[in-house]
C-alpha cells in the first residue's frame, strides 16, 4: 500500500513497503528519475522488508526544492523515521548509491549494511569542475607487443 512520508520542511514523498524480514531501504538513481526497483524488491520479498521511495521532485513525490545532497540525506532520514526504523540496510543504485553512501557516512549508527550498485563514487568535486590530466599516454613507448618480439 502506498504511503506518504512528510519531511521536516513539509514535502510529501511517496513510499511503499513490501516483504517480511529485516529492513532494506532502496534509493533509486537520478536525480530526476523515480523508483524503478519494484522487480528487485519482489525478488527479495521473502527475505527482507523492502522500503522504496521516490526522492524529492521525482516520480510520485512532490516537486519542491531545495535540491541538494544535504536535503536528500535529510529526506532519507525522514523515510527511516516514518517507517520506525532504528537501523536499516541501504541499497542504492547510480546516484542513489551516492546518496546511500553519504547517508551512511553521516549516520553510521543508523545503517546496518550498504549495497552500492553502479554508484558515482565519493569524490566531493562538483561535476564539470574536475581537473583532468592530459598525460594519459605512457611516458615511454612499450618495448614489445604481446605475441611479437
Amino acid at each position: 500500500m502506498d504511503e506518504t512520508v512528510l519531511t521536516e520542511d513539509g514535502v510529501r514523498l511517496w513510499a511503499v513497503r513490501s516483504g517480511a524480514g529485516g529492513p532494506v531501504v532502496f534509493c533509486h538513481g537520478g536525480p530526476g528519475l523515480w523508483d524503478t526497483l519494484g522487480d528487485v524488491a519482489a525478488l527479495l520479498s521473502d527475505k527482507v522488508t523492502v522500503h522504496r521511495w521516490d526522492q524529492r521532485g521525482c516520480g510520485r513525490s512532490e516537486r519542491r526544492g531545495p535540491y541538494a545532497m544535504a536535503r536528500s540525506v535529510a529526506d532519507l532520514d525522514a523515510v527511516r523515521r516514518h517507517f520506525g526504523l532504528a537501523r536499516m540496510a541501504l541499497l542504492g543504485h547510480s546516484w542513489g548509491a551516492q546518496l546511500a553512501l553519504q547517508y551512511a557516512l553521516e549516520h553510521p549508527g543508523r545503517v546496518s549494511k550498504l549495497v552500492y550498485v553502479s554508484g558515482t563514487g565519493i569524490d566531493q568535486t562538483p561535476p564539470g569542475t574536475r581537473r583532468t590530466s592530459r598525460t594519459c599516454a605512457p611516458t615511454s613507448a612499450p618495448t614489445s607487443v604481446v605475441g611479437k618480439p
Side-chain angles (χ1 to χ4, degrees):
M1 175 172 55
D2 291 356
E3 300 190 36
T4 300
V5 174
L6 190 61
T7 66
E8 63 208 22
D9 64 344
V11 172
R12 294 180 311 279
L13 305 175
W14 172 87
V16 66
R17 70 177 131 187
S18 61
V24 180
V25 176
F26 283 12
C27 298
H28 64 77
L33 297 177
W34 53 90
D35 171 60
T36 59
L37 300 170
D39 289 343
V40 177
L43 291 171
L44 300 174
S45 65
D46 63 334
K47 307 248 185 284
V48 296
T49 301
V50 175
H51 304 267
R52 297 170 19 238
W53 61 297
D54 280 340
Q55 297 161 21
R56 177 182 296 245
C58 301
R60 295 150 283 198
S61 289
E62 187 175 353
R63 286 155 179 73
R64 180 161 50 107
Y67 302 103
M69 178 59 80
R71 183 69 258 165
S72 295
V73 167
D75 288 352
L76 177 51
D77 201 51
V79 171
R80 180 193 63 82
R81 286 191 315 273
H82 173 84
F83 288 112
L85 308 175
R87 288 174 52 84
M88 60 189 170
L90 290 174
L91 182 149
H93 172 254
S94 189
W95 190 86
Q98 176 85 9
L99 170 57
L101 177 60
Q102 187 65 40
Y103 186 92
L105 291 170
E106 291 184 25
H107 304 289
R110 299 176 190 166
V111 179
S112 59
K113 294 176 177 69
L114 175 64
V115 180
Y116 189 89
V117 181
S118 299
T120 60
I122 59 172
D123 186 355
Q124 296 298 314
T125 306
T129 61
R130 291 186 178 98
R131 293 188 67 194
T132 57
S133 172
R134 296 193 182 262
T135 59
C136 295
T139 56
S140 61
T143 56
S144 67
V145 177
V146 175
K148 296 194 178 201

